[in-house]
Protein backbone atom coordinates (compact mmCIF):
# COMPACT_ATOMS: atom_id res chain seq x y z
CA UNK A 1 0.00 0.00 0.00
CA UNK A 2 1.54 3.32 -1.08
CA UNK A 3 1.79 5.96 1.64
CA UNK A 4 2.40 9.69 1.52
CA UNK A 5 2.59 12.59 3.95
CA UNK A 6 0.98 15.98 3.42
CA UNK A 7 1.09 19.35 5.13
CA UNK A 8 -1.14 22.40 4.84
CA UNK A 9 0.11 25.74 6.13
CA UNK A 10 -0.86 29.39 5.81
CA UNK A 11 2.63 30.93 5.98
CA UNK A 12 1.48 34.56 6.42
CA UNK A 13 3.73 35.76 3.57
CA UNK A 14 6.82 34.61 5.46
CA UNK A 15 6.29 36.91 8.45
CA UNK A 16 5.58 36.27 12.11
CA UNK A 17 2.25 37.08 13.72
CA UNK A 18 1.49 40.83 13.43
CA UNK A 19 4.27 41.05 10.77
CA UNK A 20 6.92 41.73 13.38
CA UNK A 21 9.76 39.67 11.88
CA UNK A 22 10.69 38.06 8.57
CA UNK A 23 10.59 34.32 9.31
CA UNK A 24 10.81 32.70 5.90
CA UNK A 25 14.34 31.32 6.52
CA UNK A 26 13.34 29.67 9.80
CA UNK A 27 10.15 28.49 8.11
CA UNK A 28 12.14 26.70 5.41
CA UNK A 29 14.22 24.85 7.98
CA UNK A 30 11.14 23.84 9.97
CA UNK A 31 9.38 22.51 6.86
CA UNK A 32 12.46 20.48 6.00
CA UNK A 33 12.23 19.00 9.48
CA UNK A 34 8.62 17.97 8.93
CA UNK A 35 9.71 16.45 5.61
CA UNK A 36 6.25 16.02 4.01
CA UNK A 37 5.84 14.63 0.51
CA UNK A 38 3.32 17.32 -0.49
CA UNK A 39 2.80 20.80 0.93
CA UNK A 40 -0.27 22.98 0.39
CA UNK A 41 0.77 26.55 1.20
CA UNK A 42 -1.33 29.71 1.39
CA UNK A 43 -0.33 33.40 1.52
CA UNK A 44 2.86 32.70 -0.39
CA UNK A 45 4.64 35.86 -1.52
CA UNK A 46 5.63 35.41 -5.14
CA UNK A 47 7.12 38.89 -5.42
CA UNK A 48 7.36 42.03 -3.26
CA UNK A 49 9.78 44.71 -4.41
CA UNK A 50 9.30 46.86 -1.28
CA UNK A 51 10.15 44.00 1.10
CA UNK A 52 13.17 43.20 -1.07
CA UNK A 53 14.49 46.74 -0.49
CA UNK A 54 13.67 46.72 3.22
CA UNK A 55 15.09 43.27 4.16
CA UNK A 56 18.68 42.35 3.27
CA UNK A 57 17.87 38.64 3.56
CA UNK A 58 14.73 38.76 1.39
CA UNK A 59 14.83 35.73 -0.96
CA UNK A 60 15.99 36.44 -4.49
CA UNK A 61 13.15 34.32 -5.91
CA UNK A 62 9.50 33.78 -5.02
CA UNK A 63 8.85 32.14 -1.67
CA UNK A 64 7.53 28.99 -3.35
CA UNK A 65 10.90 28.54 -5.09
CA UNK A 66 12.85 29.52 -1.99
CA UNK A 67 11.00 27.02 0.20
CA UNK A 68 11.11 24.24 -2.39
CA UNK A 69 14.80 24.62 -3.30
CA UNK A 70 16.07 21.13 -4.24
CA UNK A 71 13.68 19.27 -1.93
CA UNK A 72 10.38 19.65 -3.78
CA UNK A 73 8.96 20.64 -7.13
CA UNK A 74 6.86 23.79 -6.92
CA UNK A 75 3.70 25.13 -8.54
CA UNK A 76 2.40 28.62 -7.76
CA UNK A 77 -0.78 30.52 -8.52
CA UNK A 78 -0.92 34.24 -7.83
CA UNK A 79 -4.27 35.51 -6.63
CA UNK A 80 -3.66 39.05 -5.35
CA UNK A 81 -1.65 41.23 -7.73
CA UNK A 82 -0.54 44.79 -6.88
CA UNK A 83 2.00 47.29 -8.16
CA UNK A 84 4.88 46.03 -6.05
CA UNK A 85 4.19 42.29 -6.19
CA UNK A 86 1.75 39.43 -5.80
CA UNK A 87 0.87 36.53 -3.50
CA UNK A 88 -1.20 33.38 -3.69
CA UNK A 89 -1.15 29.62 -3.14
CA UNK A 90 1.60 27.07 -3.80
CA UNK A 91 1.93 23.30 -3.94
CA UNK A 92 5.32 21.73 -3.26
CA UNK A 93 5.76 18.05 -4.09
CA UNK A 94 8.39 15.32 -4.00
CA UNK A 95 6.33 13.60 -6.69
CA UNK A 96 6.36 14.92 -10.26
CA UNK A 97 3.83 17.69 -10.86
CA UNK A 98 2.56 16.79 -14.32
CA UNK A 99 -0.03 19.58 -14.60
CA UNK A 100 -0.90 22.72 -12.65
CA UNK A 101 -3.54 25.40 -13.15
CA UNK A 102 -4.81 28.24 -10.98
CA UNK A 103 -8.55 28.97 -11.05
CA UNK A 104 -9.81 32.38 -9.99
CA UNK A 105 -12.74 32.20 -7.55
CA UNK A 106 -12.62 35.84 -6.48
CA UNK A 107 -16.02 37.45 -5.96
CA UNK A 108 -14.84 40.98 -5.14
CA UNK A 109 -11.88 43.09 -6.19
CA UNK A 110 -10.87 43.55 -2.55
CA UNK A 111 -10.46 39.85 -1.73
CA UNK A 112 -8.70 37.84 -4.40
CA UNK A 113 -8.92 34.06 -4.06
CA UNK A 114 -7.91 31.05 -6.16
CA UNK A 115 -7.87 27.27 -6.37
CA UNK A 116 -4.49 25.83 -7.37
CA UNK A 117 -5.11 22.39 -8.91
CA UNK A 118 -2.10 20.10 -9.46
CA UNK A 119 -1.83 16.59 -10.84
CA UNK A 120 0.83 14.54 -9.05
CA UNK A 121 2.35 11.37 -10.46
CA UNK A 122 2.72 8.60 -7.88
CA UNK A 123 3.99 5.72 -9.95
CA UNK A 124 1.05 4.55 -12.04
CA UNK A 125 -1.46 6.61 -10.05
CA UNK A 126 -2.39 10.25 -10.48
CA UNK A 127 -3.28 12.09 -7.29
CA UNK A 128 -5.15 15.38 -7.67
CA UNK A 129 -4.29 18.10 -5.16
CA UNK A 130 -6.13 21.40 -4.80
CA UNK A 131 -4.75 24.16 -2.57
CA UNK A 132 -7.44 26.58 -1.40
CA UNK A 133 -7.72 29.80 0.57
CA UNK A 134 -11.34 30.87 0.91
CA UNK A 135 -12.96 34.20 1.73
CA UNK A 136 -13.34 35.81 5.14
CA UNK A 137 -17.10 36.23 4.59
CA UNK A 138 -19.57 33.35 4.80
CA UNK A 139 -21.57 34.35 1.72
CA UNK A 140 -18.45 34.34 -0.47
CA UNK A 141 -17.19 31.07 1.05
CA UNK A 142 -20.45 29.34 0.15
CA UNK A 143 -20.17 30.48 -3.45
CA UNK A 144 -16.48 29.52 -3.59
CA UNK A 145 -17.30 26.05 -2.28
CA UNK A 146 -19.85 25.75 -5.10
CA UNK A 147 -17.17 26.75 -7.61
CA UNK A 148 -14.76 24.24 -6.04
CA UNK A 149 -17.36 21.45 -6.28
CA UNK A 150 -18.16 22.30 -9.90
CA UNK A 151 -14.46 22.24 -10.76
CA UNK A 152 -13.96 18.84 -9.14
CA UNK A 153 -17.07 17.36 -10.77
CA UNK A 154 -16.08 18.54 -14.25
CA UNK A 155 -12.32 17.96 -14.14
CA UNK A 156 -11.45 15.09 -11.78
CA UNK A 157 -12.54 11.45 -12.25
CA UNK A 158 -14.68 10.25 -9.35
CA UNK A 159 -12.32 7.32 -8.68
CA UNK A 160 -9.12 9.43 -8.72
CA UNK A 161 -7.42 10.08 -5.35
CA UNK A 162 -8.08 13.67 -4.30
CA UNK A 163 -6.66 15.97 -1.61
CA UNK A 164 -8.15 19.41 -1.03
CA UNK A 165 -6.25 21.31 1.63
CA UNK A 166 -5.78 24.84 2.83
CA UNK A 167 -7.23 27.70 4.82
CA UNK A 168 -11.02 27.49 4.57
CA UNK A 169 -11.71 30.38 7.00
CA UNK A 170 -14.73 28.26 7.97
CA UNK A 171 -14.77 29.05 11.69
CA UNK A 172 -18.32 27.71 12.11
CA UNK A 173 -17.30 24.39 10.50
CA UNK A 174 -20.06 24.37 7.90
CA UNK A 175 -17.97 23.10 5.00
CA UNK A 176 -17.32 19.52 6.13
CA UNK A 177 -20.86 18.15 5.95
CA UNK A 178 -21.48 19.94 2.66
CA UNK A 179 -18.28 18.60 1.05
CA UNK A 180 -19.02 15.10 2.34
CA UNK A 181 -22.47 15.12 0.75
CA UNK A 182 -21.52 16.85 -2.51
CA UNK A 183 -18.07 15.35 -3.21
CA UNK A 184 -17.78 12.35 -0.81
CA UNK A 185 -14.84 14.00 0.95
CA UNK A 186 -13.79 13.27 4.52
CA UNK A 187 -11.62 15.50 6.68
CA UNK A 188 -8.37 14.06 8.07
CA UNK A 189 -8.63 15.22 11.68
CA UNK A 190 -12.33 14.40 11.90
CA UNK A 191 -11.31 10.74 11.59
CA UNK A 192 -9.81 10.98 15.08
CA UNK A 193 -11.51 13.89 16.90
CA UNK A 194 -14.90 14.08 15.14
CA UNK A 195 -14.08 17.66 14.11
CA UNK A 196 -11.30 19.56 12.34
CA UNK A 197 -8.20 20.67 14.23
CA UNK A 198 -7.81 24.00 16.03
CA UNK A 199 -5.13 25.90 14.11
CA UNK A 200 -5.65 29.66 14.56
CA UNK A 201 -4.20 31.79 16.04
CA UNK A 202 -0.96 29.86 16.36
CA UNK A 203 -0.14 31.42 19.74
CA UNK A 204 -3.28 29.80 21.24
CA UNK A 205 -5.23 27.86 18.59
CA UNK A 206 -8.99 28.20 19.03
CA UNK A 207 -10.52 28.37 15.54
CA UNK A 208 -10.71 25.40 13.17
CA UNK A 209 -9.78 27.17 9.94
CA UNK A 210 -7.30 24.84 8.22
CA UNK A 211 -8.38 21.52 6.73
CA UNK A 212 -7.23 18.45 4.81
CA UNK A 213 -10.11 16.87 2.87
CA UNK A 214 -9.64 13.49 1.19
CA UNK A 215 -11.19 11.08 -1.26
CA UNK A 216 -9.60 7.76 -2.17
CA UNK A 217 -7.08 7.95 0.70
CA UNK A 218 -7.07 6.68 4.28
CA UNK A 219 -5.70 8.59 7.27
CA UNK A 220 -3.06 6.82 9.32
CA UNK A 221 -2.13 9.78 11.54
CA UNK A 222 -2.76 13.53 11.77
CA UNK A 223 -1.04 16.22 13.85
CA UNK A 224 -1.30 19.91 14.64
CA UNK A 225 2.12 21.51 15.09
CA UNK A 226 1.69 24.11 17.81
CA UNK A 227 3.66 25.54 20.71
CA UNK A 228 5.98 28.51 21.03
CA UNK A 229 8.43 27.34 18.35
CA UNK A 230 5.70 27.24 15.72
CA UNK A 231 3.85 30.31 16.97
CA UNK A 232 6.86 32.46 16.08
CA UNK A 233 6.66 31.55 12.40
CA UNK A 234 3.11 32.43 11.31
CA UNK A 235 -0.32 33.26 12.68
CA UNK A 236 -1.54 29.76 11.67
CA UNK A 237 -0.35 26.35 12.89
CA UNK A 238 0.61 23.80 10.23
CA UNK A 239 -1.29 20.53 9.95
CA UNK A 240 0.23 17.26 8.76
CA UNK A 241 -1.32 13.90 7.90
CA UNK A 242 0.05 10.48 7.02
CA UNK A 243 -2.06 8.90 4.29
CA UNK A 244 -2.30 5.73 2.28
CA UNK A 245 -3.85 5.27 -1.14
CA UNK A 246 -6.93 3.12 -1.28
CA UNK A 247 -6.45 0.28 -3.76
Amino acid sequence: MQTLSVCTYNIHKGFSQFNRRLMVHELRERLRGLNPDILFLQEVQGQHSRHALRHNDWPAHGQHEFLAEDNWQAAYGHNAVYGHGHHGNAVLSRFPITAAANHDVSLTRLERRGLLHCELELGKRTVHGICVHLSLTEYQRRRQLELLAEHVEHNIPHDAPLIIAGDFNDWRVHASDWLAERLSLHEAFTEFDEQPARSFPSSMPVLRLDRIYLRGLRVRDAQVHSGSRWAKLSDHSPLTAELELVA
Side-chain angles (χ1 to χ4, degrees):
M1 186 70 68
Q2 186 163 9
T3 62
L4 63 152
S5 57
V6 302
C7 172
T8 184
Y9 197 7
N10 182 325
I11 68 168
H12 199 232
K13 302 171 190 171
F15 284 88
S16 64
Q17 195 168 10
F18 307 116
N19 298 317
R20 288 172 176 161
R21 292 181 58 202
L22 177 64
M23 301 301 296
V24 70
H25 296 270
E26 292 86 344
L27 180 67
R28 182 172 67 175
E29 294 309 309
R30 203 67 59 79
L31 290 177
R32 286 175 177 172
L34 290 180
N35 198 32
D37 295 311
I38 309 168
L39 296 102
F40 298 82
L41 305 177
Q42 306 86 51
E43 292 196 22
V44 177
Q45 195 76 65
Q47 180 183 345
H48 200 298
S49 58
R50 294 177 185 173
H51 286 333
L53 292 174
R54 191 175 299 124
H55 299 276
N56 292 331
D57 54 351
W58 186 256
H61 305 289
Q63 290 179 349
H64 55 292
E65 296 175 287
F66 176 77
L67 294 172
E69 209 171 39
D70 296 328
N71 295 283
W72 297 280
Q73 291 188 21
Y76 169 71
H78 59 69
N79 299 326
V81 181
Y82 24 88
H84 50 276
H86 48 81
H87 69 267
N89 298 330
V91 172
L92 278 52
S93 174
R94 294 196 190 283
F95 307 109
I97 300 175
T98 57
N102 197 48
H103 302 276
D104 188 1
V105 292
S106 305
L107 298 176
T108 69
R109 288 170 35 179
L110 297 177
E111 204 178 1
R112 310 302 300 178
R113 303 294 183 182
L115 311 172
L116 179 59
H117 177 189
C118 295
E119 296 182 25
L120 312 171
E121 183 182 314
L122 278 69
K124 297 181 179 180
R125 304 285 299 274
T126 297
V127 173
H128 292 260
I130 302 179
C131 185
V132 309
H133 187 188
L134 300 188
S135 172
L136 295 169
T137 65
E138 187 165 357
Y139 168 77
Q140 292 187 67
R141 285 197 300 275
R142 287 199 303 266
R143 179 61 186 137
Q144 287 163 351
L145 285 169
E146 287 279 357
L147 294 171
L148 170 63
E150 290 170 8
H151 176 78
V152 170
E153 289 165 346
H154 290 124
N155 295 282
I156 300 176
H158 184 72
D159 59 351
L162 171 62
I163 305 168
I164 302 177
D167 179 358
F168 282 74
N169 274 316
D170 175 36
W171 59 277
R172 292 183 176 177
V173 196
H174 288 165
S176 292
D177 289 344
W178 190 87
L179 288 170
E181 182 177 350
R182 178 76 178 263
L183 297 176
S184 301
L185 291 163
H186 59 103
E187 204 279 324
F189 286 81
T190 305
E191 300 282 298
F192 300 98
D193 268 347
E194 299 185 353
Q195 53 191 334
R198 300 180 189 271
S199 59
F200 181 88
S202 57
S203 54
M204 188 178 293
V206 174
L207 300 179
R208 307 175 190 276
L209 303 186
D210 302 278
R211 314 279 170 78
I212 301 172
Y213 290 103
L214 308 165
R215 192 170 75 188
L217 299 109
R218 294 192 187 94
V219 185
R220 301 176 64 182
D221 188 32
Q223 295 183 53
V224 184
H225 299 273
S226 57
S228 59
R229 292 174 68 243
W230 287 103
K232 294 176 182 177
L233 299 181
S234 171
D235 56 350
H236 285 248
S237 297
L239 310 182
T240 59
E242 299 290 329
L243 312 173
E244 64 181 21
L245 286 166
V246 177

